[in-house]
Each structure stands twice: as C-alpha cells, then as structure tokens.
Amino acid sequence: MSFLQRLFGTTGATADPAIPFGRYSDAYKSQEQINAWDKAIELFEQGRPMQAYRSFLIYLKDEHIENIRWDDKGTAIHFEFQQGSRMITGTANSEKVIVESKIAKAEDLNVGFLRRLMEHNFTLKFCRFSLAPDNCLCVVFDSSTVDGSPLKLLHAFRELAISADKQDDLLLDEFKSLQAVQSDLNSEIPQEEKEVKYRYIVDSIQEVYREWEAGKPDPNQFPGGYAYLWLSLAFRLDYLIRPEGFMMDVLERIHGIYFAKDERNVQLKLQAIQKEYQKLLDRSAEDFYKEMYRTRSTFGINPPVTMDRIKSLIEGELPNMDWHLNQNHKALALAVPKYIVGYALFHFAPPKPVRDLFHLFFKLTETGFFRDLGFQVPEVEADGSIDKRALNKAFKAIVAANKAEYPKCKPDASKLNYSGEAPFAKSYLEMIKDLDLTKAE
C-alpha cells in the first residue's frame, strides 16, 4: 500500500466517535472563567472571602464537562469536584477551608504503603496524606479563611487533586491488601475500543523493537536516532491511549530515565527504557482493560506556552531528521516530527490552533489506529492523487474554530510536501512553525 493510500484511506460518511485524546488541560479558560477569577481576587482583597470563593468555584467549572458541583448554604459552601478517578470534597466557611479525597481503604495497616505515603508527604507543599479513623487513606488540605486566598486554594486544590488521582491506581496495583473506593466515578468505554487500543499498544512497541533489532543503522553508532524512536513512542501512546495507573506511570518513568542528569550514556538509558516497555508487553490484555475508562478532570498538569516556545521546539529538533531522511532511514526520520508533536502535547498546553493541528498530525500519521476506532480520514481520488480539498477542509475547520481569538491563523497548505510520509511530516511542522498566532485585540 502506498504512502498516500495509507495516509488518506477511503472512509464512510459516518460521524467521528466522541473519543477524547491527550491529557486534560485547564489552560483553555473561557472569558467568563477569567472574569470570575479576577472577581475572586478582588473580593478576597476586600475582605469578602465567601463571595470570593463563590467566584473561585465558577472559575474552576469547565463549561464542557460537569467537573464540579457545590451547595451554597450562605454561611458555608459544600463542594465537590472530580480529578480523573478521584472525587475531592470540601467545605468553606468564614473560618476555615477543609478539603479531602479518599484514595483507598486498608484492610490492615501494611508498613509498605504507610511508609510510601509518609515519603510522599515530604514532596507536598500544601496537602498531606493521612489515615482516617475508618482506615481510609486520604489526601487532605485545610487552611484558615483569613489565609485562604483564591491563589493559595488554586495551588492547594491542584496539588491535592493530582496527587490523589495518581496514587490511587498505583497503590491498588502494588498493594493487594488495599481496596478501591468511589469506583463509580469512571465511565466505561466500549470493549471494541479497548481492544483496538490494546492491539495498538502492543503492535507499536513491537514495531519499534523490530527497528532496533534490524540495526539499520547500527544503534550503537547512532543511538540518538533510536532515542527519538523510543521517546516518540512513549509520547504518542500517552496522547492516543490516555493511559491510567500502571501504564501512565511506566511512560512517565521512560521520560524520566532518558532526561535524568546522571552518569548513564544514551546506550545505557535506551537499554533501561526497553526494560520498561517490556513490562507493558508482559501485561495481560485484561490488565490494560481495567485501566481504560473515561474520566473528568478539573486540573491539568501541563503549563500553557506561547507560540514562541512551540516554534523554538520545532526549530531545535526538526533538523535532526535530515541525515536519516537523506540516508533513507524512514522510521528514524519520521520519529523526529512525531517526537516533536508528542513532546509538546506531553509537556505543554499549546495555543489552541496548534493543539488542533497537532491532533490532525496524529490523525494523518496514525491513520490505521483512527480508522479502527471509527474515525474518518481524507480520501484518495480514483487516480491515486490526494484529495487536497479534504485536507484543506480540515484546516478551514480549525481556522473557523479559533478565528475569534486568533484571527490571523491561516495554515499555508501550499508548503506541504506529499512525496512521502517523512517529507510530509517535516513540511507539516514547518507550516505550523510559520503560523501567525497574534491574538485579537
């Protein structure tokens, strides 16, 4: 099958399924949320904390999902919000703010997980892990109202929510004496979707192993190219699968291994990374399935960045594919732009048009995966030529969705190189790099 056929295979006319991708981000706030934040700060400085907290909760509420609810009693506000698989509950009144999340219940007090959570407490700035009277492991935060500014609450709530969401699956996976709590928060996904994702995980890892074992070029002489291959895989799986629990921890550990400032050279780091991927291959399908579910979140972990940061990333990394492209090392050449897109989505919350174009990039380069999930992709004409109108239609949809905030955003499709998968990917990122993302005044 040719590159063009793989890139733009024929699809039906059914609507795309509502499957979310990538890490949740709270960076894309509406104007109403921004106004609510400014009002919360102003009200707290005026000595009106309860009114400030009401505006603060409006700021946290995502207009697209039901992530937060509250009951305003006048003298006290009872609220709850979701972060992944965890529910966080709290109360604010004129004297104190108290927030907690239960992450697991212990049948017996095993010194292993108790020590683990004690060690985690030293890494936390606002909240702490604790043991409730009913042997529930909790993450808690409290503050006097006089010291509970919206800014402090924002940092504290974020730390508590992310810590609770990350630790519950890890603790339950490692310590079998712990029991799950609040298991009804997650939405089940269809079995067919789970199977497609599982096959993609295994096939993608095995494909990179085959490139490594083929040794063209020699991994010992050109480890940098293979580093792009292994890392781009981790970032891609993180975005496309949206893993929870064990797999998410493995992917983050892979990132940490490579970027750790230690005495290991690139070859040793890649060997350690392969061992982490092997842990995924050794897991059963059922182990993956139980960590595949839909969640709602209130906080994202990726900071927003400007177009300058994205441009710098592309300019700094993209030239590293040229030698492999000239030597016809197709997989290693293509790994570089995939790494760039994956790295940006793993670490940052890019400007909205860039995020949309990055998602389209994966849709164009991982077409088999998207087709298996039921997505449509641009078609190929009868003579095998690209239906550029379909791709331009996708660009126009992105432009229209972001026109109010970025009126000058207009991807220049004339810069695209359709001669092969890697040249196309390179030209696509060069097109993104040249976008004008001047905001509307």
Side-chain angles (χ1 to χ4, degrees), residues 43-204:
L43 288 169
F44 189 82
E45 291 176 349
Q46 293 173 358
R48 301 161 67 187
M50 294 301 291
Q51 292 91 330
Y53 294 158
R54 295 184 181 100
S55 290
F56 174 65
L57 293 174
I58 294 174
Y59 170 76
L60 293 182
K61 185 175 178 61
D62 190 321
E63 60 184 5
H64 301 294
I65 58 174
E66 296 182 5
N67 64 312
I68 185 168
R69 297 184 295 271
W70 62 87
D71 182 16
D72 192 342
K73 299 294 187 181
T75 58
I77 303 174
H78 304 285
F79 56 88
E80 61 180 22
F81 60 90
Q82 193 169 342
Q83 182 71 25
S85 59
R86 294 298 92 212
M87 182 65 76
I88 294 87
T89 61
T91 300
N93 56 39
S94 59
E95 297 182 356
K96 200 162 189 174
V97 179
I98 303 174
V99 187
E100 74 165 18
S101 179
K102 296 181 179 180
I103 59 176
K105 186 170 184 178
E107 294 181 353
D108 58 78
L109 301 184
N110 181 294
V111 68
F113 63 75
L114 292 177
R115 178 175 178 176
R116 170 80 60 80
L117 297 181
M118 283 291 292
E119 291 172 348
H120 275 300
N121 277 344
F122 287 100
T123 68
L124 301 175
K125 297 180 180 179
F126 297 93
C127 56
R128 60 197 179 276
F129 287 97
S130 66
L131 184 66
D134 60 354
N135 277 4
C136 273
L137 301 176
C138 305
V139 195
V140 298
F141 162 78
D142 61 85
S143 172
S144 63
T145 300
V146 69
D147 190 37
S149 71
L151 183 59
K152 178 181 179 180
L153 296 190
L154 179 65
H155 290 304
F157 287 13
R158 181 187 299 275
E159 180 183 76
L160 186 153
I162 292 174
S163 297
D165 183 41
K166 183 174 182 179
Q167 289 302 318
D168 64 338
D169 284 334
L170 294 179
L171 289 170
L172 290 171
D173 187 77
E174 183 173 351
F175 299 100
K176 304 306 178 184
S177 62
L178 295 177
Q179 298 177 348
V181 294
Q182 298 174 320
S183 59
D184 59 338
L185 295 178
N186 306 320
S187 300
E188 190 67 28
I189 68 175
Q191 182 64 24
E192 295 81 3
E193 180 183 333
K194 292 182 179 181
E195 292 172 359
V196 168
K197 290 183 173 180
Y198 172 70
R199 288 198 303 269
Y200 182 78
I201 293 167
V202 174
D203 291 347
S204 298

Side-chain angles (χ1 to χ4, degrees), residues 22 197-198 200-205 230-243 247 251 254 277 280 288 342 346 362 369:
K197 290 183 173 180
Y198 172 70
Y200 182 78
I201 293 167
V202 174
D203 291 347
S204 298
I205 296 173
W230 288 109
L231 291 173
S232 66
L233 173 62
F235 297 144
R236 177 161 38 100
L237 292 177
D238 182 85
Y239 181 79
L240 297 178
I241 305 301
R242 294 189 87 193
M247 181 175 173
L251 296 181
I254 287 169
Y277 278 116
L280 295 179
F288 281 98
F346 185 87
F362 276 135
F369 174 70

